[in-house]
Every structure is written in structure tokens, then in C-alpha cells.
Amino acid sequence: MADIIKSHKQNKLSISIRQRMDKAPLWLELTTILTILMILLTAALTTATYRRNRQVTLSSETETSRQMLQLKTMNLERYIDELAAFSIQSVYDNSLYASMQSRTPLSDTERSSISSYIRGFYYSRSDLNSFMMYLINQGLDVGYSSGSTVGYERVRFKAVDSADYTSIIESCNESPNNCSILPASSSNSLFHFDHTIVRVRDNSPIALISFDVDLTELEGLTQNSTGLDRFIVLLNSEGDLLYSDLDYITDNYGPDSERVVLFPESGSSDTITLNGVKYLSVSEADSKYGLKLVSLVPVGQLTQKVRSASFDAVLEQIMFFALAIVLIFLLVRWLTQPLSVLSSKQEKAGTGDFSSIDIGRSREIKALSNSFNEMTTHIGSLIDQNYASELNEKTAQLAALEAQMNPHFLYNTLQAIGSEALMHDEMDVYTMLTSLAGNLRYSIKAAAEVPLQDEMKYVDNYIRLQKVRMGDRLTVSQKIDPATLVALIPKISIQPLVENSIQHGIQGDRTSVKILIEAFYKGDYLVIRVTDDGIGISPEDIGNLNNSFTRQTLADNGASIGLTNLYHRIRLMYENDAALQIKSETGESSYTSVTMILSVNSSRITEVTKKQTSDTETEQTKQNV
Amino acid sequence: MYKALIIDDERPVRIAISKLGDWNHFHIEMPEMAENGKDALEKMQSGNYDICFVDMQMPVMNGSMFLQECAREFPDTGVIVISGYDDFSYVQNAIRCGAVDYLLKPIVKSELDLAIEKAIRKIHPDVDFSSESEDSNISAEDVIAMIHNTIDTNYCSSIQISDFSDKYFFSREYLSKLFKAKYECSIYEYLIRVRMEHARELLLDPDRKILDIAQAVGYGDTNYFSKAFRNCCGITPSEFRKQNNCGE
């Protein structure tokens, strides 16, 4: 059920859309479609551009990082070389070298000599935090550091367990340059550097030089001129963290087993996520010492850059887009304009305007307008022909009718017939004839309104002619207020009432009818009432009749055409200032009365009164006589 | 008595006006006739007409030409225009040319009487028509009585019904019918009867010649008289004379 309703709704929707589209002009549809296409195209282009820009930015950043890292690695390598070279200086001093090889306990002289050497070494470089020498044969650790813990600077001699150094020495021996780089023990050192001194003769280690390098070199490592946040991670060959300026790594980069961060292989790039932040990471390893430099750039920053660049591009695109829409609109209007002209022209042609059009622009449109012109011309000429032939026919008919109905001929003939009747003393026939002639003259007279007395003359003639047919079965009495005689009323307005009364009066079992015609003033209205004593009209039929009054078209039930016609005529002439009321009763004292109420326009009366005065006077005179 | 002239080339109009007009009431003699404007003007030179009826459409001289002439020569005549048209400009033109009133064909009696009165009053404003005169117009009864009378007295002259029918505007058939209904014989039968009665009386006088007698009762020659006499009495005039002479 719900589905049905839904599908019904959809149907309704599609229908309403179709209806709207039917109503929408072509140019609007075209513009809309082209605009939608434009939007889709622009969106696709923008997305693609954004993606490509992002890609380009990322790869260029990767390249930049790599080059920078290479440079830095080189610098670092050179620095380490320097350190390595520095660390084996002790070999070149024979006495020191001898002391290093000596297995016998060191004399004081040797000790002071060693300690001055050590001090010398320490001070020969400004970037050392400590300098230590482990004499393997002696099992003695000689060190110098600037640590404040001691309180003064001095070289310490300390006997140590050789086991402490075994791993370091081994790792140094394994490395090709006899050195190893380990994370520094204190935070103010960059890393810890170990180098074994090897006896050339048997290639056995005799001493281990180790020192902490301070953060001087860091400046070169962290130097960053790209304007982006860039973090550096320094790992040794074992993968231990030597340095990182990203706190998250410093805090979380643990021993082998717990390494949460996997940096990409040397020379490659990858994106890694640290603490929820995405970084573009590029790493570069130094081939000599196995040091690994990783650069981390937040991807967000890069995309931000791309985005802000894209935003400008989108703004531009929107401007172009707006321009394009305006152009599309103008173009579509320009292209479809001939069609709308044609369409409106066709509508006009429907109402009879057959003028030709010229809307040529393209071949098809030109063909359309040409065929339209041909069509309208053809239709126009057909109509003209038809019209002309019909007019000719009508004119011929009218001429024929006129020849017969030529007033002179007609009235002369009537006069001849009448005179013939007179010669036979047939005064009744003559009266009938003059009544008929008078009514004929009256009914073809071109006047919408006539004085009431003229209409009454017409009614009298009509009654006279009807009486010839009906004899005593028709009785008509009149109660006309003399003041109303000059009132202007619509021509042939009382006669239909009388005709109606006669028609309805002798319906059913009635064979005779009595009719009363009244005319009087009531306020500003002239009331004309015709009453008959016929069988009356049922309320139902009165309702039907009133309905047919309100309808604009004429009633089709023959009997009431006269009244309906009259109603529409007086409504046309008087608008709301006229009415036709029907009252009726059936049964014992049945009657039907039709009352016509017309507003009295004083200006109308005076106009006629002047004209009629002379006649009235004459009549009065006659009465006097 | 006033004099009236009807100017119309059409007989029906002349008949209608003559018959419908209440001439006695207005102290007017039976109107005289003219067939066109020229005729009428000639007649008006000799006779003095008080009113005239003129049709607007006539041969020789039409209504409007006549009106102009009449207005110039006989300004004291009341002219009533007769027309089939009910055109305002037409009527206006007629009134401008001096017509008192106009009548439309077919002529209605009441309108005719009104027009006549108007025309008379134009010339004689103080005339009084209040005195009730007797039924003015000669009825068909009067006419057949007149015919009967004429036959009785004037049997010897040649009598034509058309003389009466044309004069009093009744059709011959109507008059004959009425006559037969009243006197139980046709006008000619009656005429012959009257003539034969007189002839029989005259035949009793043996000195009179038959030709003489025939002429005395209105026959030109004896043959025709003899035929008529035999038709009427069954015997020839001479046989009738012999019988009567024998009887003596």
C-alpha cells in the first residue's frame, strides 16, 4: 500500500515536472541543461585539477625533501668523517699509541701524559661534550667531560669492567670504519660517537675512543628554508633514534621491539600517520655510516597550500562560469528567438493574423519560417476565397430577398390587396392587413428602444391578428398608466410576454385565455406585467426557466426561448437595472404573471417626450373635438 | 365643402384613400383623381383644391417635383405625402417641401383621418368638425339601390355596372352579388326584365313600330331586341302583338 502511494507520488511528481517542462520555454530548458552540464564539467575539472595539484605538490615536496636530505646527509657524512679522522689522531702520537698498547699498569707520567692528551683532544674541538678513551689492555677508562657534576675539569681514570664495552667494541669492529654512532645519553648531546683504535699488526682493538657530540651540527640538520613545518629524524645504522625534533617520536621511539614508527627505506617516500597527523616522510641514508635522515612534512600543510591555490582557481572558475552562463543564455536566446517568434506567430495565426514572418538564421529555421509563411498565405487566401464566395452568395441571396422584400413593392402590393378587400367591403381583412404591415414595418425598424406607446401599438396589432385566429377564446385587457406611454422600452419587449401568455394560457384543458397587460411606475422603475389565467407553471419549471436566465447561452426548450431571449436582451441593455420575474400558481385559481422591471432613465424620457409632444397634443385635440 | 385631389398613378391607393377617408365628417366632397404631378397641376389650375394627397413615386412628374411646384403655385393647399417608406430623411425631406403630414402604405384609416384633419386645419384653423354628420360614405347597399333606381328610371339608356363600381369603389362582382342577394336576380336580368316590361306595354300600342319600341327600351336594332324579348317572354314581339291583338 505504501509502495503504491509512493509510486503514485512519484508518478505525480514526474507528471508535474513534465507539465512544468511543457510550460517552460525552449530557451529556458536549453539554458538549464547547458548550465547543468557546465556545472558538472567545472566540478569534474576542479576536482581533477585539485588532485593533480596535490599530487604535483606532494611529489615536488618529496623531491625537495630528498634533495635537501641528500645535501644534509652529505654534510653529516663529512662531519662524521671529520669526527672519525679526529678520533684516530691519538694513533699518530707514538707515546700515546705506546701507552695504549701497553699491558702493564700505567705510570703516573704516562697517566698525566694521557690525561693531557685527552684534555688536548677535548679542547681541540668545540663541539664535544665529553671525550673518553677506554684502554682495553689496561681495562681503564680515561675520560674528560665538561660536566658540572664533577665541579672542576679534570681527566678521570676509572677502572671498568671490560664487559661493559664489549658490545660497543664489537659493533665498532663490525663496521668497516671501526666506529659506531649511538644515541647520546644526555639531552644536550646529539649523539655518542665510538671509534676503536686497532693495532695495525694483528688488527686487534687496543682502545676505544668515544665522545658525545653537542648540538652544533644540529643547526645544519634542522635548517629549513621551505617555509613549511619540517621535522627531522636521525637514526643510526641500527635504527636507534639519535635525534628528532618531533616530540611524539622522541617520546615514543623505543627499543627495537617497540618501534611504532616505520620509516620508509632510504631513498623512498611514504606517508605515515603519527599521533593522528599525516606526514609525508622521505628518508635518505648515508652509505658510509648507515645513518638515516628522515624528513617529515605534515601533509595537511601541503594540502592547505594546494587548497588555498585551488580556492583562487575555483574563484576564477566561478567568474568564468558566470560569464559562460550569461553567454549561454544570450546564445540560446539568440538561437531560439526565431522559434519563439514562430511560436507566437502561430498563436496569432490561430486568431486570424496571417501576416508573413522572416526569421531566417539557419537552414532549418529558414525552412520552417518559409513553410509557415507558405501555409499562412495559403490559409489566408483560402479564407479570403471562402469568405468572398460566401459573401457573394449571401449578397446574392440578400439581393434576391431585397428584390422581393423591396419596401415599395411589398407595401404597394399589400395596398393593392387591401384595396381589393375594401372594394368587397371587407374592412376586417383590410384591418388585418394594415396590422400585419404595421408590425412588419415595426419589426424591421432599426431602433433598440422605442416609446412604450409604439410597442403597445405593435402589441395591439399582434392581438388583433391573434384574435382573428382565436376569436372569443382570447380576451385582452389593458391597464396602462398614461404617464408610461412615453417611456422608452426595448423594442419588442411586451409582445413576447403576451405571446408567452397566449401560448401558455391555452395549454392543457384550457381553450380560452384572459390576459391583462399592466404598465406603471414604481419608484425609479417602470413595471410592465402581463398576467394570464392559464394553468400556471410548476415551481420546478420556474426554476428551470430562472436557470436558463442565468446561463449565458439561450435555452433550448422551445417554449421559453422567447422569455430567455428577452431576459438576455434587457440584461444587455440595462445591465443590472432590469429584471424579469415570473410568478405562478397552479390549481384552482391558477395564473402566471411575468413582470419586467426596467430602470427609468430620465434623460431617455425627456428626449422622447419632446418628439412626442406634438402627437400627444394632436390626440388631445382630437379627443376634445 | 372642401375639395380634395388624390394624385397617384396606382389605383389601389386612390381606392383606399377614397374609401377610407371620412369625407362627410370633414365637409369634403368626394376626392378627385390625378395620375401624375403634371395632370394634377393642370387640374389645380382650374379647380380650387384645399387638400391633396400625393404619392412620392409617380411617372411624368414625381412627388418631390410636384411638392416644389405646388408650394410655389398653390401655397394654400394642404399636401399629404403618401409613401411606402418609413425613412426619417425621406419624411424630413417631404415635410421640408411643405407637406403637412405623410401616410404610409397600406393606408390606415385612423392615420388618414388624422392627416386630413391636420391638412384642413392648416388652411382653415378655425374650422369646427364637431357637428355629427350622418354616416358619410356611400355603402354598397346604397349603390345597389342606386343601380336599381337607375334601371327603373333610365332603363332605356345603356347602363354599365362599372360606372357604379368605378365611381363608388366597389368591385363589380361584389355589387352583382349584393344585388342578386337583395333583388333575387342579377343586374342585367333585372335591367332586361324592366326593359321587357316596358316593351310589352309599348307593344300593346299597335301603331308603334317595333324598331321604335326597341330603341325606346335601349336596343339599337330589332334583331337583338327580338332575341332578348323571346328569351324573356318565350315568343317574338310580333307574335306577342298578334296574341294581344287577337285577344282584343
Short mmCIF file of all heavy atoms in Angstrom, two decimals, chain B residues 31-75:
data_model
loop_
_atom_site.label_atom_id
_atom_site.label_comp_id
_atom_site.label_asym_id
_atom_site.label_seq_id
_atom_site.Cartn_x
_atom_site.Cartn_y
_atom_site.Cartn_z
N PRO B 31 -63.21 62.98 -53.21
CA PRO B 31 -62.00 63.50 -53.85
C PRO B 31 -61.91 63.18 -55.33
O PRO B 31 -62.46 62.17 -55.79
CB PRO B 31 -60.88 62.79 -53.09
CG PRO B 31 -61.51 61.68 -52.36
CD PRO B 31 -62.94 62.00 -52.18
N GLU B 32 -61.22 64.05 -56.05
CA GLU B 32 -60.99 63.82 -57.46
C GLU B 32 -59.60 63.20 -57.64
O GLU B 32 -58.81 63.17 -56.72
CB GLU B 32 -61.12 65.14 -58.22
CG GLU B 32 -62.56 65.60 -58.30
CD GLU B 32 -62.68 66.98 -58.89
OE1 GLU B 32 -61.96 67.26 -59.88
OE2 GLU B 32 -63.48 67.77 -58.35
N MET B 33 -59.35 62.72 -58.85
CA MET B 33 -58.12 61.95 -59.07
C MET B 33 -57.22 62.58 -60.11
O MET B 33 -57.69 63.21 -61.05
CB MET B 33 -58.47 60.54 -59.58
CG MET B 33 -59.47 59.81 -58.74
SD MET B 33 -58.77 59.34 -57.17
CE MET B 33 -60.25 58.84 -56.31
N ALA B 34 -55.94 62.36 -59.93
CA ALA B 34 -54.99 62.70 -60.99
C ALA B 34 -53.92 61.61 -61.01
O ALA B 34 -53.63 61.02 -59.97
CB ALA B 34 -54.35 64.06 -60.71
N GLU B 35 -53.39 61.33 -62.19
CA GLU B 35 -52.47 60.18 -62.30
C GLU B 35 -51.01 60.55 -62.12
O GLU B 35 -50.19 59.70 -61.84
CB GLU B 35 -52.67 59.47 -63.64
CG GLU B 35 -54.09 58.95 -63.77
CD GLU B 35 -54.14 57.57 -64.39
OE1 GLU B 35 -53.14 57.17 -65.00
OE2 GLU B 35 -55.18 56.90 -64.23
N ASN B 36 -50.70 61.82 -62.32
CA ASN B 36 -49.32 62.25 -62.06
C ASN B 36 -49.29 63.73 -61.73
O ASN B 36 -50.32 64.41 -61.79
CB ASN B 36 -48.43 61.93 -63.25
CG ASN B 36 -48.92 62.61 -64.51
OD1 ASN B 36 -49.07 63.83 -64.55
ND2 ASN B 36 -49.19 61.82 -65.53
N GLY B 37 -48.13 64.19 -61.39
CA GLY B 37 -47.99 65.55 -60.91
C GLY B 37 -48.42 66.58 -61.94
O GLY B 37 -49.06 67.58 -61.61
N LYS B 38 -48.08 66.31 -63.20
CA LYS B 38 -48.41 67.27 -64.25
C LYS B 38 -49.91 67.41 -64.40
O LYS B 38 -50.45 68.52 -64.44
CB LYS B 38 -47.78 66.78 -65.56
CG LYS B 38 -47.28 67.89 -66.44
CD LYS B 38 -46.54 67.29 -67.62
CE LYS B 38 -46.53 68.29 -68.77
NZ LYS B 38 -46.16 67.63 -70.01
N ASP B 39 -50.56 66.23 -64.48
CA ASP B 39 -52.01 66.17 -64.53
C ASP B 39 -52.63 66.99 -63.42
O ASP B 39 -53.53 67.80 -63.65
CB ASP B 39 -52.42 64.70 -64.31
CG ASP B 39 -53.06 64.11 -65.55
OD1 ASP B 39 -52.91 64.74 -66.62
OD2 ASP B 39 -53.68 63.04 -65.42
N ALA B 40 -52.07 66.73 -62.21
CA ALA B 40 -52.62 67.34 -61.01
C ALA B 40 -52.50 68.86 -61.08
O ALA B 40 -53.46 69.59 -60.77
CB ALA B 40 -51.88 66.82 -59.78
N LEU B 41 -51.34 69.34 -61.50
CA LEU B 41 -51.14 70.79 -61.56
C LEU B 41 -52.13 71.43 -62.53
O LEU B 41 -52.67 72.51 -62.27
CB LEU B 41 -49.70 71.11 -61.96
CG LEU B 41 -48.68 70.86 -60.85
CD1 LEU B 41 -47.26 71.05 -61.38
CD2 LEU B 41 -48.93 71.78 -59.66
N GLU B 42 -52.37 70.72 -63.66
CA GLU B 42 -53.35 71.24 -64.62
C GLU B 42 -54.73 71.33 -63.99
O GLU B 42 -55.43 72.33 -64.12
CB GLU B 42 -53.39 70.32 -65.86
CG GLU B 42 -52.28 70.65 -66.84
CD GLU B 42 -52.11 69.56 -67.90
OE1 GLU B 42 -53.05 68.76 -68.09
OE2 GLU B 42 -51.01 69.51 -68.49
N LYS B 43 -55.07 70.25 -63.27
CA LYS B 43 -56.39 70.24 -62.62
C LYS B 43 -56.50 71.33 -61.58
O LYS B 43 -57.54 71.95 -61.41
CB LYS B 43 -56.60 68.88 -61.94
CG LYS B 43 -57.23 67.86 -62.88
CD LYS B 43 -57.87 66.71 -62.10
CE LYS B 43 -58.75 65.90 -63.06
NZ LYS B 43 -58.86 64.50 -62.70
N MET B 44 -55.38 71.53 -60.87
CA MET B 44 -55.40 72.52 -59.79
C MET B 44 -55.52 73.93 -60.34
O MET B 44 -55.99 74.83 -59.63
CB MET B 44 -54.13 72.38 -58.92
CG MET B 44 -54.19 71.14 -58.03
SD MET B 44 -52.61 70.78 -57.26
CE MET B 44 -52.74 71.77 -55.79
N GLN B 45 -55.09 74.14 -61.59
CA GLN B 45 -55.25 75.46 -62.20
C GLN B 45 -56.73 75.81 -62.29
O GLN B 45 -57.13 76.93 -61.98
CB GLN B 45 -54.66 75.45 -63.63
CG GLN B 45 -53.19 75.14 -63.71
CD GLN B 45 -52.31 76.29 -63.25
OE1 GLN B 45 -52.81 77.40 -63.00
NE2 GLN B 45 -51.01 76.03 -63.11
N SER B 46 -57.51 74.81 -62.71
CA SER B 46 -58.93 75.10 -62.91
C SER B 46 -59.73 75.03 -61.61
O SER B 46 -60.47 75.94 -61.27
CB SER B 46 -59.51 74.13 -63.95
OG SER B 46 -59.16 72.80 -63.58
N GLY B 47 -59.56 73.93 -60.89
CA GLY B 47 -60.31 73.77 -59.66
C GLY B 47 -59.53 74.29 -58.47
O GLY B 47 -58.31 74.39 -58.51
N ASN B 48 -60.24 74.59 -57.44
CA ASN B 48 -59.58 75.12 -56.25
C ASN B 48 -59.57 74.04 -55.16
O ASN B 48 -60.56 73.84 -54.47
CB ASN B 48 -60.35 76.35 -55.78
CG ASN B 48 -59.47 77.24 -54.92
OD1 ASN B 48 -58.29 76.93 -54.74
ND2 ASN B 48 -60.03 78.29 -54.39
N TYR B 49 -58.44 73.34 -55.04
CA TYR B 49 -58.40 72.22 -54.09
C TYR B 49 -57.83 72.65 -52.75
O TYR B 49 -56.86 73.40 -52.69
CB TYR B 49 -57.56 71.06 -54.67
CG TYR B 49 -58.21 70.48 -55.91
CD1 TYR B 49 -57.81 70.85 -57.18
CD2 TYR B 49 -59.24 69.53 -55.78
CE1 TYR B 49 -58.42 70.33 -58.30
CE2 TYR B 49 -59.84 69.00 -56.90
CZ TYR B 49 -59.44 69.40 -58.16
OH TYR B 49 -60.04 68.89 -59.25
N ASP B 50 -58.46 72.16 -51.71
CA ASP B 50 -57.99 72.51 -50.36
C ASP B 50 -56.90 71.54 -49.89
O ASP B 50 -55.94 71.96 -49.27
CB ASP B 50 -59.17 72.48 -49.39
CG ASP B 50 -60.24 73.46 -49.79
OD1 ASP B 50 -60.03 74.65 -49.55
OD2 ASP B 50 -61.24 73.03 -50.39
N ILE B 51 -57.11 70.27 -50.16
CA ILE B 51 -56.06 69.31 -49.78
C ILE B 51 -55.78 68.38 -50.95
O ILE B 51 -56.65 68.16 -51.79
CB ILE B 51 -56.45 68.45 -48.54
CG1 ILE B 51 -57.71 67.64 -48.81
CG2 ILE B 51 -56.61 69.30 -47.31
CD1 ILE B 51 -58.03 66.66 -47.69
N CYS B 52 -54.54 67.93 -51.00
CA CYS B 52 -54.25 66.90 -51.98
C CYS B 52 -53.29 65.86 -51.41
O CYS B 52 -52.44 66.16 -50.58
CB CYS B 52 -53.71 67.50 -53.28
SG CYS B 52 -52.14 68.28 -53.15
N PHE B 53 -53.51 64.63 -51.86
CA PHE B 53 -52.65 63.51 -51.46
C PHE B 53 -51.71 63.23 -52.61
O PHE B 53 -52.16 63.12 -53.75
CB PHE B 53 -53.51 62.27 -51.18
CG PHE B 53 -54.53 62.49 -50.11
CD1 PHE B 53 -55.79 63.02 -50.41
CD2 PHE B 53 -54.24 62.15 -48.79
CE1 PHE B 53 -56.72 63.23 -49.42
CE2 PHE B 53 -55.19 62.34 -47.80
CZ PHE B 53 -56.43 62.88 -48.11
N VAL B 54 -50.44 63.11 -52.33
CA VAL B 54 -49.53 62.88 -53.45
C VAL B 54 -48.56 61.73 -53.13
O VAL B 54 -47.97 61.68 -52.04
CB VAL B 54 -48.78 64.17 -53.82
CG1 VAL B 54 -47.97 64.70 -52.67
CG2 VAL B 54 -47.89 63.95 -55.04
N ASP B 55 -48.47 60.83 -54.10
CA ASP B 55 -47.51 59.73 -53.95
C ASP B 55 -46.15 60.26 -54.35
O ASP B 55 -46.02 61.07 -55.24
CB ASP B 55 -47.93 58.57 -54.85
CG ASP B 55 -47.20 57.29 -54.47
OD1 ASP B 55 -46.16 57.38 -53.78
OD2 ASP B 55 -47.68 56.20 -54.85
N MET B 56 -45.13 59.80 -53.65
CA MET B 56 -43.79 60.30 -53.96
C MET B 56 -43.25 59.68 -55.24
O MET B 56 -42.42 60.27 -55.91
CB MET B 56 -42.82 59.98 -52.80
CG MET B 56 -43.14 60.74 -51.53
SD MET B 56 -43.28 62.51 -51.77
CE MET B 56 -41.57 62.99 -51.84
N GLN B 57 -43.73 58.48 -55.57
CA GLN B 57 -43.21 57.82 -56.77
C GLN B 57 -44.28 57.78 -57.85
O GLN B 57 -45.24 57.02 -57.76
CB GLN B 57 -42.76 56.40 -56.42
CG GLN B 57 -41.39 56.39 -55.79
CD GLN B 57 -40.80 54.99 -55.82
OE1 GLN B 57 -41.50 54.02 -55.66
NE2 GLN B 57 -39.50 54.91 -56.02
N MET B 58 -44.08 58.62 -58.84
CA MET B 58 -45.05 58.65 -59.94
C MET B 58 -44.31 58.90 -61.24
O MET B 58 -43.24 59.51 -61.24
CB MET B 58 -46.04 59.80 -59.72
CG MET B 58 -47.08 59.52 -58.67
SD MET B 58 -48.22 60.87 -58.56
CE MET B 58 -47.13 62.21 -58.14
N PRO B 59 -44.86 58.44 -62.33
CA PRO B 59 -44.25 58.77 -63.62
C PRO B 59 -44.52 60.23 -64.00
O PRO B 59 -45.29 60.90 -63.33
CB PRO B 59 -44.94 57.80 -64.58
CG PRO B 59 -46.25 57.48 -63.96
CD PRO B 59 -46.04 57.56 -62.48
N VAL B 60 -43.86 60.67 -65.04
CA VAL B 60 -44.00 62.03 -65.61
C VAL B 60 -43.48 63.09 -64.63
O VAL B 60 -42.50 63.76 -64.90
CB VAL B 60 -45.45 62.36 -66.04
CG1 VAL B 60 -45.48 63.72 -66.72
CG2 VAL B 60 -46.00 61.29 -66.96
N MET B 61 -44.15 63.29 -63.51
CA MET B 61 -43.65 64.25 -62.53
C MET B 61 -43.78 63.61 -61.15
O MET B 61 -44.89 63.32 -60.72
CB MET B 61 -44.46 65.54 -62.59
CG MET B 61 -43.94 66.62 -61.65
SD MET B 61 -45.07 67.98 -61.55
CE MET B 61 -44.13 69.28 -62.32
N ASN B 62 -42.65 63.42 -60.52
CA ASN B 62 -42.72 62.70 -59.25
C ASN B 62 -43.11 63.60 -58.09
O ASN B 62 -43.30 64.81 -58.26
CB ASN B 62 -41.41 61.94 -58.97
CG ASN B 62 -40.27 62.88 -58.67
OD1 ASN B 62 -40.46 64.03 -58.30
ND2 ASN B 62 -39.05 62.39 -58.84
N GLY B 63 -43.22 62.98 -56.95
CA GLY B 63 -43.76 63.66 -55.78
C GLY B 63 -42.98 64.89 -55.37
O GLY B 63 -43.57 65.95 -55.12
N SER B 64 -41.66 64.78 -55.31
CA SER B 64 -40.90 65.91 -54.78
C SER B 64 -40.94 67.09 -55.75
O SER B 64 -41.00 68.25 -55.31
CB SER B 64 -39.45 65.50 -54.47
OG SER B 64 -38.97 64.58 -55.40
N MET B 65 -40.90 66.78 -57.06
CA MET B 65 -41.03 67.88 -58.03
C MET B 65 -42.38 68.57 -57.89
O MET B 65 -42.49 69.79 -57.90
CB MET B 65 -40.88 67.34 -59.46
CG MET B 65 -39.43 67.17 -59.88
SD MET B 65 -39.31 66.08 -61.32
CE MET B 65 -40.05 67.12 -62.56
N PHE B 66 -43.40 67.72 -57.73
CA PHE B 66 -44.74 68.28 -57.57
C PHE B 66 -44.82 69.16 -56.33
O PHE B 66 -45.39 70.24 -56.37
CB PHE B 66 -45.78 67.15 -57.49
CG PHE B 66 -47.13 67.62 -57.10
CD1 PHE B 66 -47.99 68.17 -58.07
CD2 PHE B 66 -47.58 67.58 -55.78
CE1 PHE B 66 -49.24 68.63 -57.71
CE2 PHE B 66 -48.82 68.05 -55.42
CZ PHE B 66 -49.67 68.58 -56.39
N LEU B 67 -44.20 68.65 -55.23
CA LEU B 67 -44.26 69.41 -53.98
C LEU B 67 -43.67 70.80 -54.16
O LEU B 67 -44.20 71.78 -53.66
CB LEU B 67 -43.49 68.66 -52.88
CG LEU B 67 -44.27 67.59 -52.12
CD1 LEU B 67 -43.35 66.83 -51.19
CD2 LEU B 67 -45.40 68.23 -51.31
N GLN B 68 -42.54 70.85 -54.87
CA GLN B 68 -41.91 72.16 -55.08
C GLN B 68 -42.80 73.09 -55.89
O GLN B 68 -43.00 74.26 -55.53
CB GLN B 68 -40.56 71.96 -55.78
CG GLN B 68 -39.50 71.43 -54.83
CD GLN B 68 -38.28 70.91 -55.57
OE1 GLN B 68 -38.10 71.20 -56.75
NE2 GLN B 68 -37.48 70.13 -54.88
N GLU B 69 -43.33 72.54 -56.96
CA GLU B 69 -44.22 73.33 -57.81
C GLU B 69 -45.43 73.82 -57.02
O GLU B 69 -45.81 74.98 -57.07
CB GLU B 69 -44.71 72.47 -58.99
CG GLU B 69 -43.65 72.27 -60.08
CD GLU B 69 -43.43 73.54 -60.89
OE1 GLU B 69 -44.43 74.09 -61.39
OE2 GLU B 69 -42.26 73.97 -61.00
N CYS B 70 -46.01 72.86 -56.31
CA CYS B 70 -47.24 73.13 -55.57
C CYS B 70 -47.01 74.19 -54.50
O CYS B 70 -47.84 75.09 -54.34
CB CYS B 70 -47.72 71.83 -54.94
SG CYS B 70 -49.29 72.00 -54.10
N ALA B 71 -45.86 74.08 -53.83
CA ALA B 71 -45.57 75.04 -52.77
C ALA B 71 -45.48 76.44 -53.36
O ALA B 71 -45.81 77.43 -52.71
CB ALA B 71 -44.27 74.66 -52.07
N ARG B 72 -44.96 76.52 -54.59
CA ARG B 72 -44.82 77.84 -55.21
C ARG B 72 -46.17 78.37 -55.73
O ARG B 72 -46.54 79.49 -55.44
CB ARG B 72 -43.81 77.74 -56.36
CG ARG B 72 -43.13 79.06 -56.62
CD ARG B 72 -42.05 78.95 -57.69
NE ARG B 72 -42.58 78.47 -58.94
CZ ARG B 72 -42.11 77.41 -59.59
NH1 ARG B 72 -41.09 76.74 -59.10
NH2 ARG B 72 -42.63 77.04 -60.72
N GLU B 73 -46.89 77.48 -56.44
CA GLU B 73 -48.10 77.96 -57.11
C GLU B 73 -49.33 77.94 -56.21
O GLU B 73 -50.20 78.79 -56.31
CB GLU B 73 -48.37 77.10 -58.35
CG GLU B 73 -47.40 77.41 -59.49
CD GLU B 73 -47.81 76.68 -60.75
OE1 GLU B 73 -49.01 76.72 -61.10
OE2 GLU B 73 -46.95 76.05 -61.38
N PHE B 74 -49.43 76.91 -55.37
CA PHE B 74 -50.63 76.80 -54.54
C PHE B 74 -50.24 76.63 -53.07
O PHE B 74 -50.38 75.56 -52.50
CB PHE B 74 -51.48 75.60 -54.98
CG PHE B 74 -51.73 75.57 -56.46
CD1 PHE B 74 -51.02 74.73 -57.28
CD2 PHE B 74 -52.69 76.42 -57.02
CE1 PHE B 74 -51.25 74.71 -58.64
CE2 PHE B 74 -52.91 76.39 -58.39
CZ PHE B 74 -52.19 75.54 -59.20
N PRO B 75 -49.73 77.69 -52.49
CA PRO B 75 -49.27 77.57 -51.10
C PRO B 75 -50.42 77.30 -50.13
O PRO B 75 -50.18 76.88 -49.02
CB PRO B 75 -48.62 78.92 -50.82
CG PRO B 75 -49.20 79.85 -51.82
CD PRO B 75 -49.59 79.05 -53.03
#
